[in-house]
Each structure stands twice: as C-alpha cells, then as structure tokens.
Amino acid sequence: ATKYMGSNLIKKDVNEVLITGGDPLMSQSLLEFSLSQIQVNASNIKTVRFGTRVPLQDPARVNDKLLDILAIYDNFDFEFGLNICHYAEFTPESKVAITKLIKAGYRLYNQHPLLKGVNDNAKTLIKLYDKMRELKIDGHYLFHAIPMRGMSHHRTSVEKGLKLSMELSS
C-alpha cells in the first residue's frame, strides 16, 4: 500500500493517509512498522491520521513509548480521529491520555454516530461538546449510524437527527 501511495501514478494527488480499522494504536510495533514504510515508500505523505479509541478505552497505551515512536517520525503531522459518543467516556485516565497527545502537539478531533439511548438528545450532546472543548478536541462531525445487522436498536430516525442538528446549531 505504501509503495502505491508513493508511486508516480498517484503521489502528486495524495499527501495524507488514514490508518484505521481495528485500532492502529493497539500494537506499537505494527504502528512503528507502518510509519517506517510510509516514510520509506511515500515521501509525498505529510499527514498521518489515526482512527482510534485507545485514549478512551485503554488510555495506559498512550505512554512514553508511544510518544517516542511518534516523535521519531516528526516529518509527519499526526492527527487523531476519536470516536467519543458520550461525555461519560471522559474518565480521569482518558483525560490524562488526551492531554498527553495535545501537549505533544498533535491534533485531536471527534467524529461519532448519533446513537439511540446513548447520545440522541441535545443535553447529552452539549455536555459532550463542552467536555471536548475543555480538552481542546475539535468537533469534526456527528453522523447518522449506518444500518448494521444487530445494531438497529441504536439507530435513530433521520427526522430526529435533523431535529437535533437544528437544535444544536441554534
């Protein structure tokens, strides 16, 4: 994949990559290998974005070793796309992990689905967005959950999503 990213076929059109699926911060050795391959094979890549929930679900993994690995690749701008669905996910430990990434100079942003019974009301979303602002996490987007087998109990109606969107923006 990195050879393709750096190939003459597309390198003039590609300057960032998103590493996601599973969680790219779960294996530091795989993360380091991936970054080294991007650096060697795709010098056109300037921004590396990670889709991760590690700072929330396993905040101890945001440690000195991870920060040292990222520091080795200082030619990249790193961004972390989190998926924080509720303000209750901001535990003391997750706040420490998030603060470490922010203090290291990395951009954190949130993207999350609207989930029935979890965050499908303005009060909850406002508390979530207030906590994000306190921690310097950019709000990227709120999206309607896609139809997935076994997850229909979390889907809200499009009408409700539009109503909430209007309520939040007013």
Side-chain angles (χ1 to χ4, degrees):
T2 60
K3 288 179 182 178
Y4 177 69
M5 285 183 256
S7 71
N8 288 332
L9 184 63
I10 67 162
K11 72 179 180 184
K12 67 178 178 7
D13 297 321
V14 176
N15 64 5
E16 70 178 68
V17 63
L18 169 63
I19 303 175
T20 190
D23 196 304
L25 301 187
M26 288 299 291
S27 170
Q28 292 178 343
S29 59
L30 183 56
L31 173 67
E32 189 164 17
F33 175 75
S34 299
L35 294 174
S36 72
Q37 293 305 295
I38 295 168
Q39 187 170 38
V40 167
N41 296 316
S43 61
N44 50 303
I45 300 298
K46 304 300 178 212
T47 302
V48 177
R49 296 184 296 133
F50 301 105
T52 183
R53 284 193 43 85
V54 160
L56 305 155
Q57 291 184 321
D58 195 358
R61 288 184 184 271
V62 180
N63 53 32
D64 290 341
K65 183 176 180 191
L66 173 66
L67 296 175
D68 288 346
I69 290 169
L70 296 173
I72 291 168
Y73 300 95
D74 63 352
N75 56 307
F76 296 128
D77 291 324
F78 291 117
E79 297 182 359
F80 295 83
L82 307 176
N83 192 339
I84 309 162
C85 296
H86 195 277
Y87 62 87
E89 294 184 82
F90 290 113
T91 64
E93 297 83 4
S94 70
K95 288 178 183 180
V96 168
I98 289 164
T99 300
K100 284 180 183 180
L101 292 169
I102 295 286
K103 284 186 176 181
Y106 305 125
R107 178 174 177 242
L108 276 64
Y109 60 90
N110 191 42
Q111 53 194 23
H112 63 92
L114 183 61
L115 299 172
K116 183 178 182 181
V118 176
N119 63 10
D120 62 340
N121 65 75
K123 183 178 177 182
T124 298
L125 289 172
I126 289 167
K127 284 175 106 174
L128 170 62
Y129 299 146
D130 285 348
K131 292 282 185 190
M132 288 168 37
R133 235 182 331 277
E134 285 174 25
L135 292 168
K136 299 182 177 29
I137 300 169
D138 295 332
H140 193 54
Y141 59 81
L142 166 67
F143 60 93
H144 199 80
I146 60 171
M148 283 177 54
R149 190 178 331 173
M151 296 301 293
S152 60
H153 62 287
H154 279 305
R155 285 188 47 92
T156 59
S157 68
V158 172
E159 181 182 349
K160 182 166 189 170
L162 290 170
K163 181 182 172 199
L164 266 171
S165 179
M166 290 180 66
E167 189 177 351
L168 290 170
S169 64
S170 63

